[in-house]
Amino acid sequence: MSVTGLQTEGLKYAKAIFDTVRRMSADTLGVSRQGYSELETDVLHYLQGLGRDIGLEVRADDAGNVWMTMPGRDRTLHAFVAGSHVDSVPQGGNYDGLAGVTAALTVAWWMHRHQVQLERDYTVLMMRCEESSYFGKAYVGSLGMMGRLTQSDLMLRHRTEDITLGQCISACGLDPSKLTAGTPIVDLKKIACFVELHIEQGPTLTSNDKVRVGVVTGIRGNVRHKNVVCHGETAHSGAVNKEFRHDAVMATAALLSRMDNHWQEWLDRGEDLVFTVGVIRTGATAAISVIPGEVSFTLDMRSLSADTCERFHQLLLEEAAALEKERGVRFDFDKPLYTAPGLVDQALSDRIYKAAEDNGIPCMRLPSGAGHDAAVIGAAGIPVGMIFIANQNGSHNPHEEMIMKDFMTGTDLLWQTVRQFD
């Protein structure tokens, strides 16, 4: 792979951004940048200053997202937009979201440094409050930009403080009522496409010695249950033989084991699917000498295909019903939560992949298991694409890592895509 001038010259610039924002948002472990907080605002102000230093036109929309534009020669053309979110999960990593903003800004810095003017506008988009950790609602900035927040969203309460999402938005000098009107607060017709660079948040790229950059094929949708309860019968662990037991733990374990086996069968036949049980809890009477009468757990099924998610969910319900009869228990499922898969624009995805091939950047195609603002923007009819770069130690944790060489390779791919777009 050839190393370009952007990869070498832009390294110091990009690293300074990461280091500065890390210092600004350092927590006891990792970093914490809450969406619609004073700190998130401070980070945006710092990044806006960098944009103004290189002559970008800076404006904020009514959701607080920041648009920084390098004018093109023909301003009647629709803009190439790149960026991501600036917030983080509590005590998380520094690169989730910030990598995409820094890459987009580094490309603008490179164009300014070499006096490059594109035919169309190039815009760095910095979005607020993508993470759901603080208020239980993801993509707040991008959904607000589309006017798709609801009054109930604004009433969501902070995970640890006595304040609502709407109050936090208001505290940033914004009018949250504008974000629930059902219509976009920005002119979407002026956007030619949106490309979001992001760390992969999984092990595929970092486990590959040769390919460290990926082009995303789609963002997995999901079917989720926040609370499933298996009701059995609490009893003495030493006094009840197996044939008389209605053990909620064993019934739950049987259900999950069956679904794990089905998952592998579906993968073997080529279906895209991931299945996760993130939380399991026994009831209040749980003890070492008690047969558990209640277990609660969560379920998360994801796929690039909504049909795959639906069919696997139906299979789950059928297996639960069978176990109810076999073991004398009852499974209560809360209302399922559905998120449609986020489709990338195939033509734009092919452009990104071709830019990698043309410039000798080893690249693979892979799905995104996590959600991103790109899905919200794509759902509004804007062509979207995503570039993944390898990261170490996973994400949403304070140990998240990223090799700067990999980041600069991904940033170079973003630049080559921008340069060849027209």
Side-chain angles (χ1 to χ4, degrees), residues 51-52 55-59 67-71 75 121 123-124:
R52 291 189 177 96
L56 302 186
E57 299 173 353
V58 178
R59 68 177 180 86
W67 305 70
M68 305 198 299
T69 298
M70 177 170 285
R75 306 213 67 182
D121 287 0
T123 297
V124 178

Side-chain angles (χ1 to χ4, degrees), residues 327-346:
R327 293 179 175 265
V329 298
R330 186 180 84 254
F331 287 96
D332 286 339
F333 291 83
D334 64 350
K335 185 178 179 180
L337 303 174
Y338 296 93
T339 301
L343 303 179
V344 301
D345 182 79
Q346 189 60 51

